[in-house]
Amino acid sequence: MTVRRGLALVFLVALAAVPLVPMGGMHAYVLHVLIQILVWSFIGSAWSLMGRFGLVSLGHGAFLGLGAYTSTLLWNVYGITPWLGAVVAMALAGAFAVVVAYPVSRFRVVGHYFGLVTLAVGEVVRLLIIAERDWTGGSLGLTVRPAGDGSLLALQFADKRVFYYGVLALWLGGLWIWDRIDRSMVRSAMEAIGEDETAAASVGIHVTRFKVGITVLSAVLTALGGVAYAQYITYVNPDTLAGIGVSLRIVFAVVLGGMYSLLGPAVGTALTIALAEYLRIFFGLRLIGMAETIYGLLLMIFIIFLPAGIYGSLRDAVRRRHPRPVAAAA
Amino acid sequence: MIDPIFLLEAAINGILLGGVLALLALGLNLIFGVIDIVWIAYVDLVMLCMYAVYFLVTVHGWPLALAGLVSVGAGALLGLAVHLLVITPILGTPPVNQLLATGGLLFFLQSFATFLWSTDHKSVRLSLPSYEMAGIFLPATRLIPFAISILAMLGLYLFLTRTYMGTAIRAVSQDREAMSLMGASPQRVYLMTSAVGGAMAGLAATLLSMQYSVHPFFGAQFGPLTFMICVLGGLGNMVGAFVASFVMSEIISVGGVIMSTEMGYVIAFVVFIVMMFVRPAGILGARRE
Amino acid sequence: MLELRAVTAGYGQFTALWDVSLRVDAGEAVAVVGPNGAGKTTLMRVISGLVRPRAGDLVFEGVSLTGRPPHEIVAHGIAHVPEGRRLFPALTVAENLKMGAFLPAARRAFAASLERVFGLFPVLAERRTQRAGSLSGGEQQMLAVGRALMSQPRLILLDEPSMGLAPVMVLRLFDLIRRVREEGYTILVVEQNVRQVLKLVDRAYLLEVGRIKIEGRADALGDQDFVRKAYVGL
């Protein structure tokens, strides 16, 4: 077993042991923060499946919202268990992804333009949710209908620890998928497409199929993350789950942590959520809006001074000290 | 059946709204065409200028026209500040970083405004007449902004075609490298463009203040619409943005009368998505490199 | 007038020029020829400032211009007519020429410069309100040269002026370049059309795989061997 594998295992065991460590009454809070970090890291990894290949989506809130609202509405209105609801949500998100990604890909919409189109689409979903307030609850949001004291069928649990292990498994699953893609032909094909679409096409790579495919995968996983989040928080709201705000936060976290590495999204998410929590606690109820202001300011400063993200900048710094032949990606 | 008078009124109101929307879309497109960066926080600059107008008119009692001039100047200065502080450091970095930098600016401006002025809606109360013409009511608060935006766009057109700097701005958007071979410092052209774009935001702010109240999340109200208009018209395409502004505003206005205000927006957005399926490059096509 | 000393330059990981030194004296016409991919265009871009050299010096009229941005280099008196012309396609002929005179000093002399350009290229005067993108290849090349002249340069860099032109046009073009030279401009031209360009210039360099391989007077180089090398390489 290599050093790296060993470390990974230790880390995993540590994560699994968190709920068992005595923490005085702080358990609930720590678990709460960790659950958020794990879910958003999962979503971040899903986003990075597109982002790392140059498909920078600023509208992932669309898939998130679609996922969360689908499973919540199916449960609230029809009593359909979120297990099934999640499948429906993922299918819907996938279908929506195909419908948007196909023409975008065929017409070679890339770069800034692509970002703006995705941003607009994300906003449309948010505004549609608000407009259809009769059944979506509009800006006030929707509460997930409680199922008593916790029920596996309803995917609601009184004990946070169950959620914790659930999202831990989810997050690990997401990492596994990321890793599989990283090692597969898909990665090489997408990187070729990213460098030169025409050249890739001339070598026989079906550009549209790959682009749409990776978009669908990303959308489906994001929707799943949305369902998980909705089930945990038991409340959905168009501003927290759709629209520019949440979409940008996802992208920020991933880019900050490092878009091209397995653990980049997790590192970035952990840092941004920890930062947000710290600011929230520090300012409490004083100076409303100041926490967010500093958050925004720090994000801007980060992106200007650490363009390769934390992981990328660290790696560059290490390379400068210890130059060595090109190694495989982490 | 809906009284055709109402439909006509809605159609006309749509045109009147479209004028101001076009100002926003053109400002965004101008900056993108020259600097090749999308200012996601553009409408939040408008928001800041609207606050300036509000405070000058309501608290200090200035006449709107004077406040408008200050707003235009403030907009230009904000444009320069944004370019110097946020844009210049990220020129040449990958698009995702650039989108995040202006996105971060959006967060920052919205929260800072919340911190300074709370989330209350603030509105400049004006008592201006409403004109009636053949049963259609046209308030001055809509007519004046429309007239001024048309004049402003004419001014922009003249600036871009008749002046040296304006022609240089058009040249840079066609071939940045070639322009530097003419002895034009790119930064100078960028600053000029940012100032003009910012000034347009400032003007739009004054005009919008006549009809809407300002609050920190005003950008969330008009931002997405502006982006959709730009994408619909083809990013970087000035004529396209102009046309798309009126298309969208018509749909919103007429749809709003036929069904509800909300549905008007919904229909406009659905049309946008359908257009994306059919021609994602926009009605007239995006500017290609 | 212009001196390159041991210039090394490239793009990213790739080095296009190695240790290149050359010299252009005032009033001269000098050519740089060589096979495709030799680095001729990179050489032009280094001189005009579009590419920063990694090593070496660029000295113009005694002033070091190494690493200066393009708009400053133009202000010192070097005009670059890029490969492929790079006109502003949606602007008119007149507007393109206006842009050429962007520099303050050039703007002051605008009327005189314009007259001179129209004198050299009367067809541009005829088509002054026509969109540059709609001109023929030859007319575009003339406009590109005219635009460069508007900045009141002392040295003109011409990158592959004959590219894409019909043979008849090429002859006319070189004639016009000769006339430009007679007006007193110093010229450095990069060309594929070796035979023609050798008739035009005083000296020539052969650039191959980023290095200067041969240098000499044009009349002495006009032999079969040199021409073959320029097209195919050593």
Side-chain angles (χ1 to χ4, degrees):
Chain A
M1 176 171 297
T2 64
V3 173
R4 201 183 249 175
R5 282 263 173 85
L7 276 174
L9 201 60
V10 168
F11 184 61
L12 215 58
V13 168
L15 270 182
V18 166
L20 309 169
V21 171
M23 260 182 246
M26 288 283 288
H27 255 125
Y29 178 68
V30 170
L31 281 182
H32 174 74
V33 174
L34 281 175
I35 290 173
Q36 306 253 29
I37 292 179
L38 287 170
V39 172
W40 289 106
S41 296
F42 173 75
I43 294 170
S45 281
W47 180 90
S48 76
L49 284 175
M50 282 178 72
R52 67 177 293 192
F53 298 125
L55 297 170
V56 177
S57 154
L58 296 184
H60 257 49
F63 306 129
L64 206 57
L66 258 176
Y69 269 83
T70 304
S71 69
T72 305
L73 283 168
L74 283 176
W75 167 251
N76 282 13
V77 178
Y78 298 109
I80 298 179
T81 159
W83 291 98
L84 261 179
V87 174
V88 176
M90 286 162 72
L92 262 179
F96 186 62
V98 172
V99 157
V100 176
Y102 182 71
V104 165
S105 173
R106 266 208 69 222
F107 281 91
R108 304 276 194 95
V109 178
V110 289
H112 283 298
Y113 199 59
F114 180 82
L116 210 48
V117 169
T118 56
L119 193 153
V121 169
E123 274 297 305
V124 168
V125 171
R126 183 182 75 95
L127 290 159
L128 276 172
I129 292 175
I130 294 180
E132 291 296 304
R133 54 172 57 94
D134 295 332
W135 47 284
T136 63
S139 324
L140 295 173
L142 268 182
T143 316
V144 175
R145 186 160 55 86
D149 210 15
S151 127
L152 190 60
L153 192 70
L155 215 54
Q156 292 174 34
F157 310 104
D159 193 345
K160 276 205 205 313
R161 288 179 293 182
V162 183
F163 272 117
Y164 179 76
Y165 286 117
V167 299
L168 183 60
L170 189 68
W171 177 64
L172 289 171
L175 289 184
W176 182 79
I177 294 179
W178 195 99
D179 190 56
R180 288 304 303 274
I181 298 282
D182 194 50
R183 290 175 200 277
S184 74
M185 254 287 290
V186 176
R187 176 200 171 163
S188 318
M190 287 304 298
E191 283 180 349
I193 293 173
E195 288 220 16
D196 189 335
E197 271 194 39
T198 324
S202 68
V203 193
I205 297 178
H206 201 295
V207 175
T208 305
R209 208 174 277 168
F210 274 103
K211 276 185 163 182
V212 174
I214 207 86
T215 306
V216 168
L217 181 61
S218 181
V220 161
L221 293 175
T222 305
L224 183 59
V227 172
Y229 187 76
Q231 290 304 124
Y232 173 64
I233 302 277
T234 62
Y235 169 64
V236 294
N237 172 289
D239 289 305
T240 38
L241 282 169
I244 299 187
V246 66
S247 306
L248 278 176
R249 269 174 234 266
I250 298 172
V251 181
F252 256 120
V254 175
V255 172
L256 240 43
M259 212 168 25
Y260 301 101
S261 64
L262 181 69
L263 291 174
V267 169
T269 306
L271 279 168
T272 49
I273 289 186
L275 176 67
E277 278 298 304
Y278 173 74
L279 286 171
R280 204 173 54 83
I281 295 175
F282 181 78
F283 282 103
L285 286 172
R286 311 173 280 159
L287 303 179
I288 295 184
M290 188 38 97
E292 287 281 323
T293 308
I294 295 188
Y295 185 77
L297 189 63
L298 286 174
L299 288 180
M300 269 198 291
I301 292 178
F302 260 123
I303 208 74
I304 291 175
F305 291 103
L306 277 181
I310 292 170
Y311 185 81
S313 303
L314 276 177
R315 188 189 50 196
D316 288 340
V318 167
R319 286 250 178 91
R320 269 194 295 268
R321 295 255 186 90
H322 308 282
R324 58 193 168 111
V326 179
Chain B
M1 253 328 285
I2 303 194
D3 194 340
I5 289 286
F6 284 140
L7 278 177
L8 190 57
E9 189 174 28
I12 295 180
N13 274 320
I15 295 181
L16 298 182
L17 176 64
V20 186
L21 288 180
L23 258 188
L24 288 176
L26 287 180
L28 195 68
N29 264 322
L30 185 71
I31 293 172
F32 177 73
V34 173
I35 308 181
D36 205 26
I37 295 191
V38 180
W39 286 18
I40 294 185
Y42 189 66
V43 187
D44 299 279
L45 289 182
V46 176
M47 179 261 295
L48 285 180
C49 291
M50 282 177 79
Y51 270 104
V53 172
Y54 168 78
F55 282 114
L56 285 175
V57 173
T58 316
V59 176
H60 298 284
W62 285 31
L64 185 63
L66 202 55
L69 280 173
V70 173
S71 176
V72 170
L77 283 171
L78 280 171
L80 286 173
V82 168
H83 184 80
L84 282 170
L85 297 171
V86 180
I87 305 293
T88 305
I90 55 160
L91 282 173
T93 58
V96 62
N97 291 47
Q98 295 173 341
L99 290 165
L100 284 182
T102 52
L105 183 63
L106 181 152
F107 274 154
F108 173 70
L109 291 177
Q110 286 184 354
S111 356
F112 199 41
T114 310
F115 167 69
L116 287 175
W117 303 302
S118 92
T119 53
D120 298 335
H121 288 228
K122 301 198 195 308
S123 103
V124 173
R125 262 167 255 285
L126 294 169
S127 46
L128 285 176
S130 197
Y131 301 101
E132 198 206 322
M133 211 176 62
I136 300 176
F137 284 91
L138 297 172
T141 52
R142 295 226 182 111
L143 286 169
I144 297 178
F146 176 73
I148 297 183
S149 9
I150 297 291
L151 281 174
M153 285 189 271
L154 255 158
L156 182 69
Y157 175 76
L158 288 173
F159 170 70
L160 288 176
T161 50
R162 299 291 160 88
T163 68
Y164 223 105
M165 211 29 172
T167 312
I169 287 178
R170 281 191 298 141
V172 171
S173 72
Q174 287 168 41
D175 195 329
R176 186 169 310 128
E177 214 179 56
M179 200 56 207
S180 68
L181 289 178
M182 309 285 108
S185 146
Q187 185 71 340
R188 248 188 86 193
V189 179
Y190 293 164
L191 284 172
M192 183 89 233
T193 310
S194 303
V196 172
M200 288 171 75
L203 179 62
T206 315
L207 301 177
L208 288 167
S209 293
M210 294 172 79
Q211 307 168 51
Y212 298 94
S213 53
V214 63
H215 57 104
F217 300 97
F218 185 80
Q221 212 177 314
F222 276 89
L225 185 57
T226 309
F227 297 139
M228 275 182 250
I229 290 174
C230 288
V231 167
L232 203 57
L235 200 57
N237 189 323
M238 301 287 264
V239 176
F242 185 78
V243 170
S245 305
F246 289 102
V247 168
M248 287 295 257
S249 63
E250 274 303 304
I251 297 177
I252 290 174
S253 193
V254 174
V257 154
I258 295 182
M259 296 192 221
S260 72
T261 320
E262 221 100 71
M263 282 310 284
Y265 277 92
V266 170
I267 297 174
F269 300 148
V270 170
V271 166
F272 168 76
I273 294 212
V274 170
M275 275 305 293
M276 281 304 100
F277 302 162
V278 170
R279 247 186 97 82
I283 302 176
L284 297 183
R287 199 180 55 89
R288 283 276 159 253
E289 296 309 300
Chain C
M1 194 188 223
L2 172 76
E3 218 188 310
L4 259 66
R5 299 176 193 150
V7 166
T8 300
Y11 308 96
Q13 307 270 46
F14 173 70
T15 306
L17 295 174
W18 298 90
D19 213 33
V20 166
S21 297
L22 62 78
R23 199 188 84 244
V24 181
D25 294 321
E28 267 196 309
V30 176
V32 175
V33 299
N36 269 325
K40 308 194 293 294
T41 295
T42 309
L43 180 64
M44 294 278 115
R45 290 168 72 91
V46 165
I47 299 174
S48 67
L50 291 172
V51 174
R52 272 196 123 172
R54 293 208 196 109
D57 275 315
L58 172 69
V59 179
F60 182 68
E61 292 186 329
V63 178
S64 168
L65 294 180
T66 324
R68 297 280 191 91
H71 61 272
E72 275 186 43
I73 292 185
V74 175
H76 278 271
I78 302 181
H80 181 179
V81 182
E83 190 186 12
R85 266 86 64 185
R86 304 288 288 275
L87 296 170
F88 302 114
L91 298 186
T92 64
V93 168
E95 285 171 330
N96 268 276
L97 292 173
K98 259 177 87 176
M99 289 300 103
F102 191 87
L103 292 169
R107 260 189 251 188
R108 283 194 288 271
F110 182 73
S113 303
L114 196 63
E115 235 193 88
R116 181 188 276 188
V117 169
F118 283 153
L120 278 166
F121 310 114
V123 70
L124 292 182
E126 284 165 41
R127 301 202 189 284
R128 65 199 307 171
T129 56
Q130 202 174 320
R131 277 176 81 247
S134 65
L135 295 175
S136 75
E139 288 162 353
Q140 285 191 359
Q141 189 60 58
M142 285 192 259
L143 177 57
V145 176
R147 189 178 64 170
L149 290 176
M150 296 299 293
S151 68
Q152 299 197 299
R154 286 185 294 291
L155 168 67
I156 303 179
L157 308 173
L158 291 161
D159 196 343
E160 308 258 11
S162 75
M163 188 172 77
L165 296 183
V168 171
M169 252 339 288
V170 172
L171 288 173
R172 275 202 63 200
L173 178 72
F174 276 102
D175 241 353
L176 286 167
I177 297 178
R178 198 169 288 122
R179 280 184 60 195
V180 168
R181 195 255 171 107
E182 279 159 19
E183 299 258 333
Y185 297 99
T186 308
I187 300 198
L188 177 62
V189 55
V190 149
E191 248 305 330
Q192 286 270 41
N193 198 326
V194 185
R195 268 185 240 277
Q196 285 299 327
V197 81
L198 282 180
K199 292 186 201 156
L200 172 71
V201 300
D202 305 316
R203 287 188 300 119
Y205 291 89
L206 173 62
L207 187 69
E208 202 186 83
V209 198
R211 289 176 207 273
I212 302 275
K213 288 288 164 62
I214 301 177
E215 178 201 337
R217 296 207 52 82
D219 36 29
L221 291 171
D223 66 348
Q224 284 285 69
D225 224 29
F226 180 75
V227 175
R228 180 183 57 79
K229 285 174 188 165
Y231 278 114
V232 181
L234 283 156

